[in-house]
Amino acid sequence: AQKITQTQPGMFVQEKEAVTLDCTYDTSDPSYGLFWYKQPSSGEMIFLIYQGSYDQQNATEGRYSLNFQKARKSANLVISASQLGDSAMYFCAMSPGYNQGGKLIFGQGTELSVKP
Amino acid sequence: GAGVSQSPSNKVTEKGKDVELRCDPISGHTALYWYRQSLGQGLEFLIYFQGNSAPDKSGLPSDRFSAERTGGSVSTLTIQRTQQEDSAVYLCASSSGLFGETQYFGPGTRLLVL
């Protein structure tokens, strides 16, 4: 079955420190995409970063990087130099299979709190 | 440019009433998705449109839920005979439709069924 697992319901990090949010996935499709979204308390879903299953290098977007370990089926999000504005829910999502229309399967989310 | 818009922002209705939720995707995006976010179930996929057709309706929870898309643009999600368990945030997203392309989300409609 296709599934995303985020095992950390809540995380705390000190401002300016780096933090890693865990995500593991399960799929039998060779082609898939992995996404991270941020959802602040206001509710909007903000795209952060994308990793394709055939991408050789880990994706990076500014302070965000994705630690993609294909053999372990993990796609952890690393946020460097945390800021107070990074406090939010973070969702890992998978787009399974080239022919499945791009629907996203989401994990349960991790609530990140950045302490001053 | 304009993002995905949804209306209404909030909807309170009585059990048994029908509701319509609207989504206006980013101009030019051929793919449109509806998701539901509730406390107990997290974020769930409901239905996917490519143009005006819906090749994947697998996430619709019951036959009380239906959706349509007209002109390859605006989509309406209809819930008939609402139940209290339908209370959730309904999120719409759109993308270019190509595999791996980012889905951009609207602000959602918060539905409360009394």
Side-chain angles (χ1 to χ4, degrees):
Chain A
Q2 295 157 340
K3 189 178 179 182
I4 290 280
T5 303
Q6 294 180 254
T7 57
Q8 306 154 314
M11 289 278 287
F12 288 92
V13 65
Q14 204 69 34
E15 192 179 9
K16 300 180 185 177
E17 298 286 313
V19 63
T20 298
L21 306 184
D22 294 341
C23 172
T24 58
Y25 60 91
D26 189 16
T27 181
S28 57
D29 284 302
S31 297
Y32 51 89
L34 296 159
F35 299 80
W36 278 92
Y37 283 85
K38 172 184 177 181
Q39 188 177 43
S41 56
S42 55
E44 74 266 34
M45 294 286 284
I46 302 168
F47 165 74
L48 295 178
I49 197 166
Y50 166 77
Q51 180 87 42
S53 60
Y54 292 119
D55 293 343
Q56 295 296 315
Q57 293 190 324
N58 287 343
T60 60
E61 289 283 352
R63 293 187 299 111
Y64 305 107
S65 60
L66 200 152
N67 184 0
F68 181 46
Q69 298 188 42
K70 195 170 183 177
R72 297 180 61 185
K73 293 190 174 180
S74 74
N76 298 340
L77 176 71
V78 180
I79 305 174
S80 63
S82 297
Q83 301 173 355
L84 295 179
D86 293 336
S87 294
M89 282 290 289
Y90 288 80
F91 291 96
C92 181
M94 176 172 64
S95 178
Y98 187 80
N99 296 319
Q100 295 197 38
K103 70 181 181 185
L104 294 176
I105 298 170
F106 286 88
Q108 290 298 98
T110 295
E111 185 169 9
L112 178 66
S113 298
V114 180
K115 293 183 171 181
Chain B
V4 178
S5 60
Q6 293 185 245
S7 60
S9 302
N10 294 279
K11 178 72 176 178
V12 181
T13 191
E14 293 179 349
K15 178 181 172 182
K17 300 279 190 184
D18 298 352
V19 295
E20 285 189 352
L21 311 180
R22 176 188 167 108
C23 172
D24 205 338
I26 291 172
S27 178
H29 277 186
T30 59
L32 186 148
Y33 306 82
W34 284 98
Y35 296 89
R36 179 170 72 173
Q37 185 172 25
S38 55
L39 281 176
Q41 301 297 322
L43 271 154
E44 307 170 277
F45 164 78
L46 297 178
I47 187 170
Y48 151 63
F49 287 92
Q50 182 63 250
N52 290 336
S53 64
D56 190 347
K57 307 178 184 179
S58 62
L60 294 178
S62 76
D63 58 8
R64 296 186 296 104
F65 288 72
S66 63
E68 65 175 11
R69 189 179 184 194
T70 55
S73 181
V74 172
S75 175
T76 302
L77 177 69
T78 301
I79 309 173
Q80 296 179 309
R81 305 181 302 282
T82 52
Q83 303 293 313
Q84 288 181 331
E85 61 263 28
D86 299 335
S87 297
V89 177
Y90 290 82
L91 292 163
C92 175
S94 70
S95 80
S96 67
L98 299 174
F99 176 75
E101 286 298 310
T102 299
Q103 291 183 28
Y104 294 92
F105 283 78
T109 293
R110 284 166 176 73
L111 175 66
L112 178 61
V113 182
L114 300 176

